Amino acid sequence: LKQEVEMIIIGERINATRKNVGKAIAEKNAEFIRKECSNQIKNGAHYIDLNAGLGRGQAQEKEDLLWLVNTVQETGEIPLCLDSSDPQVIEGAIKQCKSEDKMINSISGEKERIEGILPIIEKYPECKIIALTMDDSGIPAEAGKRVDIAEKLISLLREKEVKDENIFVDFLAQPVGTGSDNGIISLETLKKIKQQFPKVKTTCGLSNISFGLPERETINKYFLALSIGYGMDSAIVDPTVYGIREAIFAAEALIGKDEFCMNYIKNFRENVK
Ligand code: THG
């Protein structure tokens, strides 16, 4: 078994936008999906993100997400991260999650999303939830405005008895290739969230940062390290990619989150890659 990192890893691979996964969902290839799941757990994923959005309508997505939940759980209780922009899809799947430890991905400042997700959260107040820092006007370009959206969502969730430590604010990494300030805007948002709400957790879909650039993994892993330096608690990543967990171990050692660098040392002593 590999050494644990402190950062919470949400494994992103079971996502219908990936060609093989989309095909496996359409063909109900359970073996393929279970392998994607176990492989990510073996590589240190704490949660498995499940996204069944094939663009074939709500009824299909509902059926497919339910199938994904049941399929991965045949091997045991696994902390799942239900990934859909449609609250009804999430509602249908959350009932089937066996583990107490589960996550909704996501709520946002969008009116319909708030109205759809809050009643679910009322039924599952112990559930973790990702809160996107965007609203009906899109993703704000200014960090301060993203923080305003986070503030509003945090207060709505607190009203529903969600604990701060169960809220994961997604500060929304945007491609640095299409706007050279995109990286720093995200980091600024992250920093402000941690200052204003120290108990609230933070996360992001890491690979957005590198969209359109060559050698994406280089950008991804350095942004991961930078983000950890700014206090990021979690990330949605592919943990099977070499360099991702290594970046986490290194970054945590470098900012004093790894006493005597023991995790770093153990990982590289004991693990045969
Ligand atoms: N925030 C939150 N949730 C998210 C995202 C986010 N969920 C979805 C996404 N963004 C993160 N998950 C993935 C899953 C798979 C891939 C990228 C992000 C992926 N992409 C391939 C690529 O970019 O090269 C394309 C697909 C393919 O393989 O053809 O694999 O930001 N809260």
Side-chain angles (χ1 to χ4, degrees), residues 5-38:
V5 294
E6 182 170 298
M7 198 196 75
I8 297 161
I9 298 173
I10 303 169
E12 73 180 11
R13 291 180 60 88
I14 305 181
N15 189 307
T17 61
R18 294 183 61 233
K19 261 211 175 90
N20 292 341
V21 173
K23 189 161 169 275
I25 294 171
E27 293 170 354
K28 301 251 193 294
N29 184 346
E31 199 184 332
F32 181 93
I33 296 297
R34 279 199 283 269
K35 198 148 193 191
E36 283 285 6
C37 181
S38 60

Side-chain angles (χ1 to χ4, degrees), residues 26 53-54 65 80 90 109 115 119 133 139 188 204 214 216 233 267:
L54 282 167
L65 189 62
L80 299 175
I90 289 176
E115 286 169 359
T133 54
I139 301 173
E188 227 11 76
C204 77
R216 294 184 63 177
D233 304 278
N267 182 59

